[in-house]
Amino acid sequence: MENLTTRGRVTRLGATALGLVLLVVGTFWGSDDDFPFGPFRMYSTSNPPNAPAPDTRVEGVNSSGAVIDLDQNATGIRRAEIEGQQARYAADPTLLTEVADAYAERHPDAPALVEVRIVIRWHDIQGGRPTGRHTDQTVVRWQATR
């Protein structure tokens, strides 16, 4: 086994020091986008014990009026991708046509979707425990032109 040269030691110590500096700076002034050098707040925070808990879903209505759950199995699009782009969908609901197209591609024999919507189900929480009550809020809606 060979010994590390002075230059090699300095390089490794410099890389380690840079990594530690990035970690400390990211921890105090970073955001989730800076991961792995920023805090991953998703797992480090919680909602207040009496605040409702959101559960986002995407659903569609086909031409026969049936409501269809447009989950990952139905479209190939993960819920996290929808949640992460929710502001874009709200600004331009026509982007939800991508979800309708993904559904049509996976289900070519199914009736066409005439509406796609992002719905948040707010589960009522009291004292940190679910009460069993909920309300649904449609936050984005796209309807096909007829």
Side-chain angles (χ1 to χ4, degrees):
M1 182 169 180
E2 295 182 29
N3 290 334
L4 205 56
T5 64
T6 301
R7 182 177 176 185
R9 269 190 232 113
V10 168
T11 301
R12 285 187 182 190
L13 286 172
T16 301
L18 178 63
L20 288 173
V21 167
L22 288 172
L23 192 60
V24 169
V25 169
T27 297
F28 291 106
W29 296 285
S31 69
D32 285 350
D33 293 337
D34 302 321
F35 186 80
F37 296 108
F40 203 39
R41 296 187 201 287
M42 180 169 113
Y43 295 112
S44 66
T45 61
S46 64
N47 292 339
N50 294 321
D55 181 17
T56 304
R57 70 180 186 275
V58 180
E59 59 187 30
V61 178
N62 68 20
S63 56
S64 66
V67 176
I68 297 157
D69 185 21
L70 298 177
D71 60 8
Q72 183 174 350
N73 292 332
T75 63
I77 302 170
R78 295 179 317 130
R79 182 176 82 169
E81 294 172 22
I82 298 291
E83 289 175 338
Q85 300 295 319
Q86 188 170 316
R88 286 185 62 227
Y89 290 119
D92 185 7
T94 60
L95 293 173
L96 287 174
T97 58
E98 296 170 352
V99 177
D101 292 344
Y103 176 78
E105 188 175 305
R106 286 184 169 225
H107 306 278
D109 297 330
L113 295 176
V114 296
E115 182 178 350
V116 177
R117 53 191 177 220
I118 299 175
V119 179
I120 299 176
R121 175 163 285 177
W122 294 95
H123 293 275
D124 187 42
I125 306 290
Q126 294 297 319
R129 311 293 293 172
T131 65
R133 295 185 304 266
H134 65 271
T135 56
D136 287 344
Q137 174 190 16
T138 300
V139 293
V140 183
R141 172 179 280 136
W142 165 81
Q143 290 183 307
T145 53
R146 301 188 196 275

